[in-house]
Amino acid sequence: MLKPVSNKTDVCQGYQQALDDFGITELLAKLSNYSDADFDSAWIQPQQQELENLAVILISQLTDSINGKLVANN
């Protein structure tokens, strides 16, 4: 039996669920409101694409910096 083709709404909901499950939605929200002594996102008012690019950079840097000691301590 053929499986029915999902509609675009199902795909979008699945994509959004994956973003939520992996913490990407929360990361993007924090980046859009982030502020400390060196940086305040309100100064530059980043666009969604800029936030997504920054999230990719941060995830890549985290991936590159993982080591056994870091993993063992958590």
Side-chain angles (χ1 to χ4, degrees):
M1 177 186 270
L2 292 174
K3 185 177 180 181
V5 176
S6 63
N7 63 33
K8 188 174 182 179
T9 302
D10 291 340
V11 173
C12 290
Q13 288 174 345
Y15 179 76
Q16 186 61 51
Q17 184 64 48
L19 291 176
D20 294 344
D21 289 348
F22 289 104
I24 304 301
T25 303
E26 184 178 353
L27 175 60
L28 292 172
K30 286 184 178 185
L31 290 173
S32 69
N33 298 306
Y34 186 78
S35 177
D36 70 5
D38 299 312
F39 180 80
D40 185 352
S41 64
W43 295 339
I44 61 169
Q45 299 177 350
Q47 300 298 311
Q48 185 66 25
Q49 187 62 48
E50 293 169 314
L51 294 171
E52 291 173 7
N53 290 342
L54 181 55
V56 168
I57 291 167
L58 292 172
I59 292 168
S60 295
Q61 289 180 348
L62 174 63
T63 301
D64 291 342
S65 68
I66 289 178
N67 63 48
K69 289 181 183 179
L70 177 66
V71 175
N73 289 330
N74 291 309

